[in-house]
Amino acid sequence: MQRSQVFSAQAGRLIEMPRHAHARFGIGDVVRHRMFDFRGVVFDVDPVFSNSEEWYEAIPEDIRPRRDQPFYHLLAENEDSSYVAYVSQQNLLPDADGGPVEHPNVAELFEDFRNGRYKMRRSLTH
């Protein structure tokens, strides 16, 4: 398999990744965490784990996800707050509620919510 290296500012290092990865979810999809009670909208996808080692090591070993899978940046919400989450593909499910996410930053990144997903603002797309 062909691989590439890219610098991740978030991780502060070079990240090796496959040239092609299969992401189950796309930007604008609304998802729910498999184990924890929160949901969110995807606003970015990393083809493999691209965060810091400290972040990864802080996850309890018995629930620590594999690195070699897509990781998703979410505008997330639970009953108490809104925040940004970084979640492995293995821990995400499609959101069955189907309603919009009430995160305060959604309007900065997305225009419409239609048919269970968001459309990214045209000014932010390539």
Side-chain angles (χ1 to χ4, degrees):
M1 175 187 323
Q2 292 185 340
R3 301 190 70 79
S4 297
Q5 285 190 336
V6 296
F7 180 79
S8 167
Q10 191 169 6
R13 61 186 169 85
L14 284 174
I15 304 291
E16 188 171 300
M17 61 185 65
R19 291 206 183 200
H20 302 283
H22 177 71
R24 190 176 302 146
F25 304 104
I27 292 172
D29 285 345
V30 178
V31 294
R32 178 170 297 283
H33 197 281
R34 183 182 299 275
M35 294 185 290
F36 301 115
D37 190 25
F38 71 87
R39 63 194 290 266
V41 57
V42 175
F43 71 90
D44 197 10
V45 182
D46 293 337
V48 295
F49 177 77
S50 301
N51 207 330
S52 69
E53 286 303 307
E54 294 80 16
W55 187 95
Y56 190 77
E57 294 296 325
I59 301 169
E61 193 170 348
D62 60 324
I63 63 169
R64 195 176 293 155
R66 295 181 341 269
R67 295 172 187 257
D68 64 343
Q69 63 181 311
F71 275 72
Y72 299 83
H73 299 261
L74 308 177
L75 295 178
E77 65 182 9
N78 61 26
E79 285 186 10
D80 302 321
S81 65
S82 297
Y83 50 95
V84 174
Y86 189 64
V87 185
S88 65
Q89 181 163 277
Q90 75 187 51
N91 285 322
L92 290 177
L93 300 168
D95 182 57
D97 290 350
V101 173
E102 302 298 328
H103 192 286
N105 299 110
V106 165
E108 293 175 26
L109 300 177
F110 299 100
E111 294 174 349
D112 299 337
F113 179 76
R114 200 176 314 164
N115 300 321
R117 69 185 319 256
Y118 285 92
K119 180 180 178 186
M120 183 159 265
R121 291 195 166 281
R122 184 179 304 278
S123 62
L124 299 176
T125 62
H126 302 224

